[in-house]
Amino acid sequence: MQRSPESELAAALEAVRAACRAVAAVGPPEAFGTGAVIDKGAAGPVTVADLASQVAAARALRASQGASVAIVGEESAEEAESLGGHGLLGVVAEVLRRTGMSIDAAGVRDALAAGTHAGGPSGRFWTIDPLDGTKG
């Protein structure tokens, strides 16, 4: 289904607003410092803010564009589970509930799993690459 540029802009703006609310719910910038950063090795760092903002944006896009919307996300459900398991997903869910979102750890996992589209030179897709300033 082809969407108008206006509807896609509205979807993008709502996804950004949702991601901003998620990052703000994490707390002050100090919350992103030592202990709040999870090392992904060669892939670089990830924070709860990264995960929460991606989940918030993905859910906003799915709400406006439909559950089958193609999303390429930086963070993955599998990676989040390997880094902190169900506990990390639960922390992300708690942050998102502070924004008024009704979500649990399973919902966080589902939203992260929605970002597995391969991308590529054809077709339409949304790209979510959270940036919270953990690395240059």
Side-chain angles (χ1 to χ4, degrees), residues 41-130:
V46 65
T47 67
V48 168
D50 286 315
L51 296 167
S53 62
Q54 180 172 319
V55 168
R59 284 179 57 118
L61 289 170
R62 291 175 90 187
S64 68
Q65 305 289 295
S68 63
V69 64
I71 299 172
V72 178
E74 178 185 14
E75 312 304 343
S76 73
E78 293 76 18
E79 186 173 66
E81 288 178 330
S82 73
L83 293 170
H86 192 75
L88 176 58
L89 299 176
V91 169
V92 173
E94 173 57 34
V95 165
L96 291 168
R97 285 193 293 271
R98 290 182 213 150
T99 71
M101 190 180 293
S102 176
I103 193 167
D104 59 11
V108 169
R109 188 189 192 299
D110 289 347
L112 288 171
T116 59
H117 188 272
S122 63
R124 299 175 65 99
F125 56 89
W126 294 85
T127 302
I128 303 174
D129 184 0

